[in-house]
Amino acid sequence: MMSEPDDRWFDEAAGPLVRPYAMTRGRTRPGNTDLDLATQVVTVWTENDSGSLSPEHQAVIELCRTPLSVAEVAAYVDVPLVVVKVLLSDLIERGDVVARAPRMANNLPDRNLLQAVLDGVRRI
C-alpha cells in the first residue's frame, strides 16, 4: 500500500520542534541580550516594509501596540521564551519595536513603616 506523496514528509512528533527552529532561522540566542522576562516592549510607527516580515514577527508587532512584557508576548504568541526573544531582537534591530526596563515605583514605602507592619504581623 503506497502512501500519499505529502504524507511521507509529515511527522506529527516533529512538528512542534521544527516550527520554533524555522521561526528563528536556526538561531538560539537573541542579538539583544538585555531582554528579560519583565522588559517592556512596544511597537513604534515606522516606514519599514512589513511585507518582508514573517507572520510571527507581524503577530508580535500587532500585540505590542500596547506595552507588554517579554513574558506576556511569549504567552500570547504561544511559543518558547527564547524564540520570542529572538523575534523581538530582530524587531528592535529593525526599529519596529522599542524595549525598556520596567517602571519601578518612585514612592517606595518607608522602611520604618514596613518594619512596623512586620512587627504587627508577628504579634498576631
Side-chain angles (χ1 to χ4, degrees), residues 2 4 9 12-13 17 21 34 37 40 43 47 51 55 58 65-66 68 75 83-85 92 96 105 123:
M2 284 222 30
E4 294 287 323
W9 295 107
E12 276 186 40
L17 298 176
Y21 181 84
D34 294 336
L37 291 174
Q40 298 289 301
T43 301
E47 293 285 332
Q58 291 176 357
R65 292 199 186 278
T66 58
L68 293 173
V83 173
V84 168
K85 285 183 175 183
I92 291 168
D96 295 322
R123 277 183 256 153

Side-chain angles (χ1 to χ4, degrees), residues 7 36 39 44 70 77 79 81 87 100 115 118:
D7 288 345
D36 64 16
T39 300
V44 293
V70 172
V77 178
V79 295
L81 184 63
L87 296 175
R100 67 172 186 244
Q115 187 63 50
L118 180 60

Side-chain angles (χ1 to χ4, degrees), residues 10-42:
F10 182 74
D11 182 4
E12 276 186 40
L17 298 176
V18 173
R19 185 170 174 253
Y21 181 84
M23 280 191 274
T24 62
R25 288 178 250 136
R27 295 171 293 152
T28 59
R29 296 179 194 245
N32 184 334
T33 57
D34 294 336
L35 296 172
D36 64 16
L37 291 174
T39 300
Q40 298 289 301
V41 290
V42 66

